[in-house]
Amino acid sequence: MILDALFLINALLAVGFAVAMITRKNPIYSALCLIATFFPLAFIFLLLWAPFVAMIQIMVYAGAIMVLFVFVIMMINTEKQELEAGKPKWYRRIAGAIAFLFVIVGFYSIVMGINSIAPVDSSIKEEFGSTAALGHLIFDKYLIQFELVSVLILVAVIGAVFLAKKNLD
Amino acid sequence: MLSVFGMLMLFVSYIVYAERRVSAFIQDRLGPNRVGWQGLMQPWADAIKLILKEDIYPDKADKFLFFLAPFIAFAPGLITFALIPIGSLDFSDPQAALAISNINVGILFILAIGSLNFYGLAFGGWASNNKWSLFGGLRASAQMISFEIAMGFALISILMTAESVNMNSIVHSQTGTLWGFIPRWNVFVQPLAFLVFLIAAFAENNRLPFDMPEAEPELVGGYHTEYSSLKFGLFFLGEYAALITMSAVIVTLFFGGWTLPWVSQETMASWGWGPIISGLFSFAVFIVKWFAVMFFYIWVRWTLPRVRYDQLMNLGWKVLIELAFLNILITAAIGLWL
């Protein structure tokens, strides 16, 4: 019961902040709303017995990635050249319609999801979702996949450095 | 919980006083000694002064963020303190911590929430609509993200030695001795990690020699140039609250927390003390170490000059991160083959 209520509150908060993010005119407020979105999401991870993922969610997204976002927004300072709304073009209407569809789907899944979240029964061991369990999964069972993803990220990093260098010369 | 909050606030006000007295001592001055005996009432006088000052909003400031920023800067230092085991209620039970909260991902929580006070500085600098403030905010963001990486990697080797991310387990992994005569504290087991963590912690807290975000001679006051009254007070207190919490984290991670050096856990458990005496005793041990680290913070501030900004960034990216990586490799190799 309490879990349901907590889930509902956090899900609504997350969706609310996400909507606020895309409706703000000032990009710095959008960034602020996006940061605020991560906290209810982290809480939902906690409800799903995944404390490690919850902490990483805040540490990586709110603590690192959004820092860079805010950094860039403050550097380019878009506030001066107020983004003109203008008349919606046809593709904007379609995009809006699709986005609206996603919102409906999101709300629908929140309402339906209440019954299926975080079953409090003995099938979940205490170690489930702990740092140790996750480490064993990544470095034992899914080691090859993990290494492949690492190589992929490395390629992306090298690509980014290459592009940045080219602009400098 | 409220009592811990009260204690922290008291500490925060008195560490400012301590800083002024210690700095005066180091520079052969007197420091504040007029209000009350030896100037001990100075923090209260300062607080009353701050509260009574006029609260000014700059004309073109972003009102909402300008209001919000001090709170974001203030809160993380206090929140993360909830995770720190400041004592133990039962020496024989590894998880009977005297802490507001004892969760399994303790140190990760401290890292995650502790990194958030950056937003206070960045938004404060941006919302003031002042070039110096903005510069202070930008410097804060660049500095914090750089040193957080080094800090996180230094921490990984600690977690490898402790084999846990629970704060209390980390404390317990540091009892006993190395080769019979050195306390098995992480500062001796992992000296390199300690060095990297300490430097990164100074940078995270914007303390000299890394106080770029508010470098007075260049930026007036950095991100809080435009702030006055209690909002400035919140920034000020937030900085010291973060310092106090970081000292407590350092004590917990590297100096064995509330445990006594050379005394093993079994010996302490065999004394058979009740929870109240155990709690008070371990808290007293913790507080001695804690004050020593805080004094070290102040000592360093009044000893070293400020480094240049590019030197700071070079240190963070080209030295500390590599050292932390090297340390992880060494720790892993030793853990694997010994």
Side-chain angles (χ1 to χ4, degrees):
Chain A
M1 189 54 216
I2 292 176
L3 285 181
D4 290 354
L6 282 175
F7 173 72
L8 197 66
I9 291 169
N10 282 289
L12 287 177
L13 272 178
V15 173
F17 278 123
V19 170
M21 175 194 76
I22 53 174
T23 49
R24 294 305 94 192
K25 269 205 179 124
N26 191 336
I28 209 116
Y29 277 95
S30 294
L32 187 65
C33 289
L34 187 53
I35 297 162
T37 315
F38 293 137
F39 289 91
L41 285 184
F43 203 94
I44 291 174
F45 277 125
L46 279 183
L47 289 180
L48 292 171
W49 264 255
F52 182 76
V53 181
M55 288 308 129
I56 292 296
Q57 165 87 15
I58 293 181
M59 203 190 298
V60 172
Y61 284 95
I65 293 183
M66 286 315 292
V67 171
L68 291 180
F69 272 49
V70 170
F71 194 71
V72 169
I73 291 172
M74 294 203 305
M75 289 278 253
I76 56 178
N77 210 2
T78 45
E79 203 197 16
K80 296 269 157 35
Q81 48 217 307
E82 210 36 79
L83 299 164
E84 281 294 318
K87 215 178 159 194
K89 297 205 173 68
W90 60 272
Y91 55 83
R92 279 195 186 154
R93 285 171 198 273
I94 294 176
I98 294 174
F100 187 65
L101 206 68
F102 272 114
V103 171
I104 291 176
V105 171
F107 272 106
Y108 178 75
S109 44
I110 286 176
V111 176
M112 298 315 285
I114 289 176
N115 299 321
S116 56
I117 54 146
V120 197
D121 57 33
S122 52
S123 68
I124 292 185
K125 288 191 210 122
E126 198 172 322
E127 298 86 48
F128 173 83
S130 71
T131 315
L134 214 70
H136 278 298
L137 274 184
I138 291 178
F139 292 106
D140 284 343
K141 198 171 174 195
Y142 298 112
L143 180 63
I144 297 177
Q145 290 88 332
F146 175 75
E147 291 296 334
L148 282 179
V149 171
S150 311
V151 171
L152 198 65
I153 292 175
L154 185 66
V155 169
V157 170
I158 293 173
V161 171
F162 177 74
L163 288 176
K165 274 266 184 209
K166 206 159 75 179
N167 287 344
L168 277 182
D169 293 337
Chain B
M1 207 170 130
L2 267 181
S3 60
V4 173
F5 177 73
M7 179 189 80
L8 272 186
M9 292 316 288
L10 195 71
F11 279 9
V12 165
S13 48
Y14 273 97
I15 196 177
V16 179
Y17 166 77
E19 170 137 81
R20 293 173 68 183
R21 285 308 293 254
V22 172
S23 70
F25 171 72
I26 289 174
Q27 296 174 341
D28 203 11
R29 292 184 286 116
L30 283 175
N33 64 351
R34 292 297 173 85
V35 193
W37 182 74
Q38 286 292 315
L40 271 176
M41 295 305 283
Q42 184 71 34
W44 302 97
D46 283 345
I48 293 169
K49 182 196 76 176
L50 271 177
I51 293 169
L52 293 181
K53 280 201 168 176
E54 187 189 354
D55 193 11
I56 301 168
Y57 280 92
D59 248 358
K60 292 199 172 163
D62 188 311
K63 298 282 185 307
F64 178 68
L65 277 184
F66 191 78
F67 171 77
L68 191 66
F71 296 94
I72 306 180
F74 179 63
L78 293 182
I79 294 174
T80 47
F81 195 83
L83 271 296
I84 293 176
I86 51 177
S88 173
L89 296 176
D90 182 358
F91 293 141
S92 55
D93 178 7
Q95 292 302 326
L98 184 62
I100 294 176
S101 169
N102 179 21
I103 60 173
N104 277 333
V105 286
I107 188 62
L108 296 177
F109 183 88
I110 290 177
L111 270 192
I113 302 296
S115 64
L116 295 178
N117 78 346
F118 143 78
Y119 290 111
L121 316 192
F123 286 144
W126 183 84
S128 309
N129 201 5
N130 173 327
K131 288 191 187 73
W132 284 310
S133 299
L134 180 64
F135 237 112
L138 286 177
R139 279 186 178 185
S141 46
Q143 177 174 331
M144 283 189 166
I145 199 163
S146 311
F147 280 87
E148 207 156 87
I149 300 171
M151 201 174 191
F153 281 125
L155 208 62
I156 287 178
S157 40
I158 297 300
L159 301 185
M160 286 162 90
T161 355
E163 294 178 350
S164 175
V165 283
N166 177 302
M167 292 296 270
N168 221 21
S169 309
I170 294 176
V171 171
H172 268 264
S173 75
Q174 298 179 59
T175 55
T177 50
L178 269 182
W179 305 305
F181 61 98
I182 306 175
R184 206 187 163 286
W185 290 350
N186 277 331
V187 63
F188 301 118
V189 183
Q190 295 276 5
L192 194 57
F194 173 67
L195 195 69
V196 173
F197 191 91
L198 190 72
I199 296 175
F202 272 81
E204 279 279 303
N205 287 351
N206 299 324
R207 293 285 295 184
L208 268 168
F210 306 120
D211 67 338
M212 290 314 124
E214 50 176 308
E216 293 95 345
E218 310 158 32
L219 298 176
V220 190
Y223 55 88
H224 57 52
T225 304
E226 298 287 353
Y227 279 89
S228 62
S229 185
L230 262 187
K231 289 205 201 61
F232 169 74
L234 276 183
F235 270 126
F236 195 64
L237 292 181
E239 205 179 305
Y240 281 97
L243 188 161
I244 286 176
T245 306
M246 189 58 90
S247 315
V249 171
I250 290 176
V251 168
T252 309
L253 291 180
F254 293 98
F255 292 95
W258 47 263
T259 57
L260 277 176
W262 295 293
V263 181
S264 76
Q265 212 55 44
E266 291 77 43
T267 325
M268 284 173 86
S270 69
W271 296 338
W273 288 348
I276 293 175
I277 301 192
S278 311
L280 283 177
F281 178 76
S282 50
F283 181 55
V285 174
F286 184 82
I287 237 173
V288 169
K289 298 176 181 177
W290 194 15
F291 280 1
V293 174
M294 281 194 242
F295 178 79
F296 179 74
Y297 259 92
I298 297 172
W299 187 15
V300 166
R301 168 162 182 185
W302 297 99
T303 309
L304 297 177
R306 182 180 292 136
V307 301
R308 224 170 50 216
Y309 191 65
D310 55 320
Q311 294 170 332
L312 172 81
M313 281 300 165
N314 277 343
L315 178 70
W317 285 98
K318 295 184 185 166
V319 181
L320 289 187
I321 293 178
E322 278 74 357
L323 279 181
F325 264 128
L326 184 72
N327 198 36
I328 291 175
L329 274 181
I330 297 172
T331 312
I334 292 176
L336 206 57
W337 286 306
L338 289 184

